[in-house]
Amino acid sequence: SGAAPGAEDNGSGLAVLLMLAEAFKKSNIIPRKTVYFVAFAGEEQGLLGSAAFVGELVRPSGAIPKKCQGQSGSFLQRTFEPVQHEAIIMDEVGWQSTKLKGPTVNLEGFDWASNILEHLAQSSLMHNGEDLTVVHSNNPFGSDHMSFLDRAFPAVLTINGDDEAYPNYHQSSDTIVNVNKTLMHLIGRMNMGALLRVAGVRGVQEDGH
């Protein structure tokens, strides 16, 4: 009860999502795979938004665009093959723990999501160098990546290191003063690079075409 500004949890993740969506749009990149930027509601109440979204991917009802539906094929085909969806999730990407030596991101996901994990790690190495420490947890839980993983879709949560020690979790003190913009930018660069690696780049669209 009471005020819940949620600047770190999860205003930080949403802010980076919007930043990446804007940058992607302005780049005019034509990806090989369809890319969706999605903000999920109801995570705290039981992953409601992400579960509904993934459910639509598996059994489309028309609630989301056709290109995001769970099957592919033309009207000439008799059989349809499932689409392999992949997800990069951001939840709490702005708090710098004093227990850590420097900016740190935890890549949380099962080892079988190795394709995304590797793309994230290589992207950070290329774009951030040693400015961002990347660690990995093979014990995913509690956030929207689970809605994808539970359906056997590769997914990785990107979350600031030592997140469980955040002292303002679900409190009125979770305000913007606790958010480190540098850490957000580092994680954002990593995620944008990984997104392009996962989606592939077919070309760049010229303005007005």
Side-chain angles (χ1 to χ4, degrees):
S1 62
E8 157 69 349
D9 182 24
N10 185 33
S12 61
L14 179 58
V16 176
L17 174 71
L18 294 173
M19 179 181 69
L20 298 189
E22 181 181 22
F24 185 85
K25 176 67 175 177
K26 290 181 177 179
S27 72
N28 290 328
I29 284 174
I30 304 172
R32 294 185 180 277
K33 300 177 183 178
T34 301
V35 175
Y36 284 86
F37 295 90
V38 186
F40 300 119
E43 186 240 32
E44 301 290 353
Q45 292 75 28
L47 312 182
L48 302 182
S50 57
F53 182 78
V54 176
E56 278 291 318
L57 298 180
V58 176
R59 295 185 181 277
S61 68
I64 55 178
K66 188 175 181 180
K67 288 184 179 180
C68 202
Q69 294 178 5
Q71 293 181 330
S72 64
S74 74
F75 69 95
L76 296 175
Q77 293 175 316
R78 294 287 184 177
T79 59
F80 295 85
E81 296 182 359
V83 174
Q84 177 71 306
H85 301 281
E86 299 172 281
I88 298 172
I89 305 294
M90 290 180 286
D91 189 359
E92 299 179 49
V93 295
W95 180 61
Q96 175 61 55
S97 172
T98 57
K99 298 178 182 178
L100 302 175
K101 294 181 179 180
T104 302
V105 62
N106 180 18
L107 308 183
E108 186 180 296
F110 292 124
D111 286 343
W112 54 259
S114 58
N115 183 56
I116 304 179
L117 288 167
E118 185 65 22
H119 281 317
L120 285 163
Q122 292 300 320
S123 174
S124 186
L125 181 63
M126 174 177 289
H127 299 294
N128 296 321
E130 298 181 355
D131 292 337
L132 181 66
T133 298
V134 179
V135 298
H136 167 50
S137 169
N138 189 37
N139 183 34
F141 68 96
S143 195
D144 290 311
H145 57 322
M146 297 308 302
S147 294
F148 292 86
L149 292 171
D150 288 344
R151 297 276 194 165
F153 291 149
V156 174
L157 171 68
T158 58
I159 186 168
N160 48 233
D162 198 30
D163 62 283
E164 293 187 18
Y166 183 53
N168 305 292
Y169 183 64
H170 288 183
Q171 297 183 44
S172 60
S173 54
D174 184 7
T175 60
I176 194 67
V177 298
N178 302 300
V179 174
N180 185 308
K181 291 187 291 185
T182 299
L183 178 57
M184 290 173 61
H185 285 138
L186 291 170
I187 295 176
R189 282 202 295 261
M190 175 189 72
N191 286 354
M192 177 59 94
L195 182 155
L196 295 176
R197 287 164 174 257
V198 171
V201 177
R202 194 172 62 196
V204 178
Q205 182 176 355
E206 296 182 6
D207 291 336
H209 297 281

